[in-house]
Amino acid sequence: MNSLVQDARAAAARVGLKSDTIVIEGGRPLRGSIDVRGAKNLVTKAMVASLLGDEKSILRDVPDISDVHVVMSLLGAHGVQITGDPATGVLVLDPANVSHGDSAEIDALSGSSRIPILFCGPLLHRLGRAFIPDLGGCRIGDRPIDFHLDALRAFGAIVDKLPSGIDITAPNGLHAAKIELPYPSVGATEQVLLTGVRVPGETELKNAAIEPEIMDLIAVLQKMGAIISVEPNRTILIEGVDSLGGYNHRALFDRNEAASWASAALATGGSIFTAGAKQSEMMTFLNVFRKIGGAFDIEEDGIRFYHPGGDLKPVVVETDVHPGFMTDWQQPLIVALTQAHGTSIVHETVYENRFGFTDALIEMGANIEVHKEGLADPNRRVPRRALEQAAVITGPTKLHGTEMVVPDLRGGFSHLIAALTAEGQSVVSNLGLIARGYGDIVNKLEKLRAEFRFQE
């Protein structure tokens, strides 16, 4: 059994999926209402932030996803007492007895997530040392941790790369730093925030990520007692404090999940109400959705996405850091673009290997050509990067059912959308990888009147 299958089955088991393979009878519009809980990319980081406090923290709207269970186990291995349950959406995290975790247990968990790298700053503050084993997560590109390690070194940490992992210490303590990221990396920005809040003096971070999830993490840290200001031109200033308390926070909704279900509504010709979604964090996506020919209604408690009838239109999309079009949005959207009349182009500028999922779509009948060196375009807004690729999608094409193996989180959900769109039966395996970031999948598919069953 290869490691991808092992990761998928472990993720499925964490959230109680009775099988890692689903059989879908597609070709039917998805119609109904689903709830969108807190963002995976905020909730897991807010859980780590609880390590910094001297008091209990309460986190609300927690999604019941595999990544949350992994972080719960990692925190538990470091002595954090957790009560509550992701199934109910509320966790109480008590860091009173933080300790060095069992290396074997941490190593086993770290193969399922990249979150452990963000434990470094909090553990240095609490214990004076952090050990990070090999990191897992989606296989969508290099995603190096050099930005993280360089930031920790700037704070005065000593980083030793060992065959078993990375050992990080601060024998002379940590000090304030002036850091400029070569790219506005979300993870590296989180690293600086989680480390800098308890470092004496003022830390300046330039070229920071400013995604809504970053702003929500800053809100969490401010509730704990941190002093953080977001300045113009992607600059964040952090005034270190001696100690932090706990927080009581309701997580920002998961805009990636909302956009994924929106793409599913468009691809299948249906109508999906995403309860909990908000307009302000999705404006860039909403613009593209409307250009394609999709429709949406902004309501007080969510957003309804639907296909209004008529032909869908082709678009040109360039992924970028916030406030640009998110890389996590393009994969589900590509499935909808296979049903548009004309040629669409998606320029992927964030990760270098995010079009692997299109092989299955092509097998289903989609007309997609991937340009591994990217495409020149005089009308580009986002500067070209050496790693970028482009996908050219020509439609509309009828999709037919097939067997698919989920390669990663967002690509996997795209496979699920394609199976729901296609005529006939599809078998989708490695479903657990989707459960890393999409909670309550079975219940949501039932609410949307999808026809499916699990393969024993």
Side-chain angles (χ1 to χ4, degrees):
M1 186 186 303
N2 65 42
S3 60
L4 192 65
V5 173
Q6 289 178 324
D7 288 350
R9 291 185 178 178
R14 290 188 192 103
V15 297
L17 286 177
K18 61 182 180 181
S19 171
D20 192 40
T21 301
I22 190 171
V23 180
I24 293 175
E25 296 291 340
R28 298 162 177 78
L30 296 180
R31 300 186 185 280
S33 175
I34 53 104
D35 292 321
V36 177
R37 284 196 192 170
K40 175 182 84 76
N41 292 337
L42 175 276
V43 168
T44 50
K45 320 306 169 58
M47 292 170 69
V48 175
S50 70
L51 279 167
L52 291 162
D54 298 325
E55 301 168 353
K56 293 180 181 179
S57 291
I58 302 173
L59 187 57
R60 306 180 188 278
D61 265 2
V62 177
D64 191 8
I65 58 175
S66 175
D67 275 19
V68 164
H69 287 270
V70 169
V71 178
M72 287 174 65
S73 297
L74 285 167
L75 288 171
H78 284 96
V80 177
Q81 183 179 351
I82 303 175
T83 54
D85 189 338
T88 66
V90 180
L91 294 179
V92 180
L93 307 105
D94 185 352
N97 299 307
V98 172
S99 61
H100 289 293
D102 178 76
S103 58
E105 182 179 2
I106 294 169
D107 185 57
L109 291 164
S110 297
S112 303
S113 172
R114 294 176 179 268
I115 278 288
I117 191 66
L118 293 177
F119 278 63
C120 293
L123 289 178
L124 284 173
H125 287 303
R126 295 297 301 267
L127 305 174
R129 178 178 179 266
F131 179 76
I132 308 300
D134 182 45
L135 300 179
C138 286
R139 294 155 176 79
I140 54 174
D142 191 24
R143 300 179 79 166
I145 61 170
D146 291 349
F147 292 172
H148 291 260
L149 301 181
D150 289 344
L152 291 166
R153 291 187 184 101
F155 282 115
I158 294 176
V159 179
D160 291 320
K161 294 184 177 181
L162 308 173
S164 56
I166 303 170
D167 191 54
I168 303 172
T169 56
N172 299 316
L174 299 176
H175 55 73
K178 291 186 181 295
I179 300 169
E180 182 168 0
L181 298 177
Y183 183 79
S185 160
V186 169
T189 299
E190 292 163 343
Q191 185 72 256
V192 173
L193 288 169
L194 291 167
T195 304
V197 287
R198 286 189 56 179
V199 171
E202 182 179 84
T203 291
E204 179 183 75
L205 176 62
K206 291 186 175 181
N207 203 27
I210 55 172
E211 271 70 4
E213 293 80 12
I214 292 287
M215 296 299 107
D216 211 32
L217 179 60
I218 290 174
V220 166
L221 293 168
Q222 187 179 60
K223 287 180 177 181
M224 299 176 73
I227 302 173
I228 305 169
S229 59
V230 181
E231 305 291 323
N233 300 317
R234 294 186 176 274
T235 298
I236 295 176
L237 300 179
I238 307 166
E239 296 182 40
V241 297
D242 293 334
S243 64
L244 294 170
Y247 62 78
N248 189 331
H249 189 75
R250 186 175 300 279
L252 170 78
F253 80 98
D254 196 315
R255 59 203 179 108
N256 292 336
E257 183 180 8
S260 296
W261 288 114
S263 296
L266 198 58
T268 65
S271 173
I272 300 177
F273 182 72
T274 55
K278 302 293 183 184
Q279 178 182 13
S280 57
E281 289 84 6
M282 297 193 68
M283 294 185 78
T284 304
F285 177 84
L286 295 174
N287 286 336
V288 173
F289 193 80
R290 178 168 281 163
K291 287 180 181 179
I292 296 171
F296 54 86
D297 297 329
I298 308 294
E299 300 182 21
E300 186 174 340
D301 57 344
I303 304 176
R304 180 176 300 282
F305 296 95
Y306 57 96
H307 191 311
D311 294 343
L312 299 181
K313 306 177 185 66
V315 292
V316 176
V317 174
E318 302 169 58
T319 66
D320 197 10
V321 295
H322 186 79
F325 193 90
M326 286 188 68
T327 178
D328 286 333
W329 292 339
Q330 61 90 347
Q331 289 169 293
L333 189 69
I334 280 178
V335 182
L337 290 177
T338 67
Q339 305 307 302
H341 288 247
T343 299
S344 298
I345 302 174
V346 175
H347 298 277
E348 172 55 56
T349 76
V350 179
Y351 292 129
E352 70 272 32
N353 188 25
R354 215 151 201 191
F355 289 134
F357 77 100
T358 60
D359 291 344
L361 301 187
I362 293 169
E363 185 178 335
M364 299 174 81
N367 185 346
I368 302 174
E369 183 178 354
V370 174
H371 297 261
K372 295 188 176 181
E373 305 299 325
L375 284 174
D377 186 337
N379 299 314
R380 287 283 300 275
R381 295 184 179 183
V382 180
R384 286 199 67 175
R385 300 183 69 203
L387 56 73
E388 73 175 50
Q389 297 185 343
V392 179
I393 308 101
T394 303
T397 52
K398 286 187 176 181
L399 303 183
H400 54 79
T402 189
E403 294 187 6
M404 293 178 280
V405 179
V406 168
D408 58 69
L409 175 57
R410 307 300 170 191
F413 198 85
S414 303
H415 286 175
L416 195 65
I417 298 173
L420 292 163
T421 304
E423 294 290 338
Q425 184 180 97
S426 292
V427 180
V428 183
S429 58
N430 279 5
L431 189 67
L433 294 182
I434 301 175
R436 286 191 52 232
Y438 295 90
D440 206 14
I441 297 173
V442 174
N443 185 45
K444 288 174 182 176
L445 289 174
E446 288 174 346
K447 285 186 173 182
L448 297 174
R449 292 175 253 173
E451 291 196 24
F452 68 97
R453 61 180 171 83
F454 283 100
Q455 184 171 290
E456 300 297 334

